[in-house]
């Protein structure tokens, strides 16, 4: 049994990464970056526990990829680390930024060989440029830039973080206790992914696969007298609408389920529960916009969508072109990639009796091709 737990910090908001995708969710081949990092560590070392820190929503999606110990992060790196340390019960803890996504086996080897020599062992790089501080040149031999992973005594690190002071890494928190820090040689491979330009400096990342992911959605709503009818975000000129917790736009609901299905993100009821008053009478276009934003930030782009509206009444034909345009704009894709079909049920069943409408939808997603940013 290993005496080291691994903590991978990934609860950041990726705000300096100027792309629609969160950096943690860029796909390398078939897997998201956070998993790519985790698998490199798993391959290179033995850990009593692997703890991944992320947001509550992301953890729900991460669990579909792999079983690890997941911990909800905080509003700073330090808070996220403190949350993770609560579930660490080994004498040592190795902490790394998911943003430092390429792991150099030699650096990990150096850290593990030095285990126990100091309260904290840290990979560092020497400065290669001439350096000035406050307008005056300084001796660069005294300067180091600090990387992750960092190997610490768990108890010392926990003690070091019992403070309101904000440290930028483990080593500086432990140094503030007066403990000695051991520097080992770091690596250019451990470059931190902060901005889009950094993508060109990360040799372990491969472009995402060209896989297409397909999702299917279906929804039914009964008619209700005296309500406004919305389908695909377009007002339908009839004097009845749909009975629903939201505005009842059955076409958009089926489409949301198709998108979530393709992304493996559950269904509309999990994201926007009909028991939640925030969604009472809500314009379903808002829910679609939110769904698009989420699936985009988790690494997907929309290929195309197709739907069939099964309705004996109302007649849909006159609205199809408008719906296509509107949905294309909500999905941020060109209109030729949105297809809308309508059919009756040949007077059969509840649809034939004009009691309600069913919509079937299909959506195709691809992984965000981040290498095109370079
Ligand atoms: N509240 C936070 C903030 C950061 N991190 C993690 O700490 C590491 C270093 O942070 P950084 O590279 O700055 O990532 P972000 O905070 O996501 O980036 P930005 O500052 O651009 O928003 C990242 O792996 C990040 O996910 C974290 O776990 N919890
Ligand atoms: C921990 C770190 O990666 C060491 O260099 C760095 O301090 C993280 O800084 P950030 O501002 O949280 O990205």
């Amino acid at each position: 049994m290993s005496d080291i737990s691994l903590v991978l910090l990934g609860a950041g908001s990726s705000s300096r990464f100027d792309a629609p995708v969160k950096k943690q969710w860029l796909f390398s081949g078939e897997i998201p970056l956070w998993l790519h990092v985790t698998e490199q560590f798993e391959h290179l070392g033995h850990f009593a526990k692997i703890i991944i820190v992320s947001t509550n929503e992301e953890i729900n999606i991460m669990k579909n990829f792999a079983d690890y110990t997941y911990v909800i992060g905080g509003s700073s790196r330090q808070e996220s680390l403190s949350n993770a340390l609560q579930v660490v019960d080994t004498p040592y803890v190795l902490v790394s930024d998911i943003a430092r996504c390429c792991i150099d086996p030699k650096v990990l080897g150096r850290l593990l060989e030095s285990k126990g020599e100091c309260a904290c062992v840290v990979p560092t790089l020497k400065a290669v440029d001439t350096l000035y501080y406050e307008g005056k040149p300084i001796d660069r031999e005294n300067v180091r830039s600090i990387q992750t992973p960092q190997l610490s005594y768990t108890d010392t690190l926990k003690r070091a973080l019992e403070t309101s002071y904000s440290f930028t890494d483990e080593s500086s928190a432990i140094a503030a206790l007066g403990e000695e820090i051991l520097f080992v040689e770091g690596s250019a491979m451990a470059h931190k992914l902060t901005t889009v330009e950094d993508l060109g400096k990360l040799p372990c990342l491969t472009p995402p696969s060209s896989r297409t992911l397909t999702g299917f959605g279906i929804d039914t709503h009964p008619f209700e007298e005296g309500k406004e009818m919305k389908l695909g975000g377009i007002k339908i000129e009839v004097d009845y609408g749909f009975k629903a917790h939201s505005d009842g736009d059955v076409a958009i609901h089926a489409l949301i389920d198709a998108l979530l299905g393709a992304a493996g993100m559950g269904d509309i009821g999990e994201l926007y529960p009909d028991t939640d008053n925030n969604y009472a009478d809500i314009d379903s276009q808002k829910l679609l916009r939110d769904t698009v934003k989420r699936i985009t930030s988790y690494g997907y782009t929309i290929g195309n969508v197709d739907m069939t509206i099964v309705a004996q009444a109302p007649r849909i034909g006159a609205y199809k072109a408008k719906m296509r345009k509107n949905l294309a704009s909500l999905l941020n894709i060109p209109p030729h990639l949105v297809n809308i079909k309508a059919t009756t049920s040949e007077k059969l069943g509840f649809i034939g009796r004009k009691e309600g409408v069913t919509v079937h939808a299909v959506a195709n997603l691809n992984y965000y091709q981040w290498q095109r940013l370079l």
Side-chain angles (χ1 to χ4, degrees):
M1 180 72 164
S2 169
D3 55 2
I4 307 175
S5 298
L6 172 66
V7 171
L8 296 174
L9 296 171
S13 57
S14 215
S15 57
R16 287 172 286 176
F17 190 72
D18 190 18
V21 183
K22 285 190 85 172
K23 58 190 180 186
Q24 299 92 319
W25 289 94
L26 297 167
F27 275 75
S28 179
E30 293 280 358
I31 56 171
L33 184 132
W34 67 267
L35 185 55
H36 182 56
V37 176
T38 314
E39 288 187 354
Q40 289 174 72
F41 275 107
E42 263 191 313
H43 179 70
L44 293 170
H46 293 289
F47 302 100
K49 214 185 250 181
I50 296 182
I51 300 152
I52 297 176
V53 189
S54 189
T55 64
N56 190 27
E57 177 171 314
E58 286 167 78
I59 288 172
N60 284 332
I61 306 169
M62 288 171 157
K63 284 178 180 166
N64 299 328
F65 283 84
D67 290 329
Y68 295 110
T69 301
Y70 294 99
V71 168
I72 298 173
S75 59
S76 66
R77 183 186 186 278
Q78 186 161 319
E79 217 178 298
S80 293
L81 175 58
S82 296
N83 292 358
L85 288 177
Q86 286 180 24
V87 299
V88 175
D89 47 17
T90 47
Y92 297 94
V93 61
L94 185 73
V95 180
S96 204
D97 293 340
I98 280 178
R100 292 198 189 262
C101 55
C102 298
I103 314 308
D104 187 333
K106 288 194 209 121
V107 173
L108 190 59
R110 280 175 211 129
L111 291 166
L112 297 178
E113 274 163 25
S114 311
K115 190 181 81 175
E117 284 181 29
C118 258
C120 183
V121 192
V122 182
T124 71
L125 287 183
K126 285 185 174 176
V128 290
D129 301 317
T130 296
L131 296 174
Y132 276 61
Y133 177 69
E134 293 188 341
K136 295 207 170 69
I138 53 167
D139 183 358
R140 69 181 174 194
E141 283 309 309
N142 290 326
V143 176
R144 293 286 182 279
S145 70
I146 301 290
Q147 300 183 318
T148 69
Q150 303 186 8
L151 183 61
S152 307
Y153 288 140
T154 307
D155 286 346
T156 314
L157 182 56
K158 284 183 179 173
R159 202 155 35 88
L161 296 183
E162 284 167 4
T163 168
S164 55
Y165 190 84
S166 190
F167 296 102
T168 53
D169 76 333
E170 300 71 77
S171 72
S172 42
I174 290 177
L177 290 180
E179 297 277 349
E180 214 180 309
I181 307 299
L182 178 67
F183 289 167
V184 296
E185 192 187 338
S187 164
M189 244 179 106
H191 186 77
K192 187 154 76 71
L193 176 55
T194 304
T195 65
V196 164
E197 288 68 38
D198 293 320
L199 286 169
K201 299 173 189 156
L202 298 166
C204 72
L205 292 186
T206 50
S209 91
S210 56
R211 179 188 290 279
T212 297
L213 302 111
T214 301
F216 170 71
I218 182 167
D219 196 28
T220 298
H221 278 287
F223 295 137
E224 185 175 294
E225 293 297 326
K227 252 188 117 173
E228 179 177 88
M229 180 178 287
K230 285 281 205 64
L231 268 177
I234 302 300
K235 184 173 171 353
I236 310 291
E237 299 298 336
V238 284
D239 54 10
Y240 55 94
F242 292 111
K243 188 173 177 194
H245 181 64
S246 66
D247 68 355
D249 191 326
V250 60
I252 287 189
H253 297 179
L255 183 54
I256 288 175
D257 263 354
L259 292 164
L260 294 177
M265 282 172 56
D267 66 30
I268 188 170
E270 291 170 39
L271 255 59
Y272 318 109
D274 62 8
T275 46
D276 186 336
N277 273 342
N278 286 322
Y279 305 124
D281 293 324
I282 195 168
D283 178 349
S284 296
Q285 295 178 99
K286 281 193 188 150
L287 303 184
L288 179 57
R289 254 188 238 112
D290 184 68
T291 302
V292 170
K293 196 165 161 229
R294 290 187 202 218
I295 61 172
T296 306
S297 67
Y298 300 143
Y300 303 100
T301 54
I302 300 170
N304 72 306
V305 302
D306 181 28
M307 64 170 69
T308 301
I309 302 171
V310 192
Q312 201 69 47
R315 303 299 291 179
I316 304 297
Y319 300 99
K320 284 200 300 189
K322 248 178 143 178
M323 272 186 217
R324 176 197 286 254
K325 261 197 166 162
N326 187 48
L327 291 176
S329 139
L330 293 167
L331 295 166
N332 293 322
I333 57 175
H336 71 276
L337 299 176
V338 177
N339 195 58
I340 294 162
K341 310 186 294 298
T343 183
T344 68
S345 70
E346 296 294 345
K347 300 192 177 158
L348 293 171
F350 70 90
I351 295 171
R353 292 192 298 274
K354 301 184 181 174
E355 291 169 10
V357 165
T358 290
V359 178
H360 303 250
V362 176
N364 287 315
L365 302 183
N366 301 102
Y367 299 128
Y368 179 75
Q369 298 294 316
W370 52 263
Q371 75 282 12
R372 293 183 190 150
L373 296 170
L374 294 172

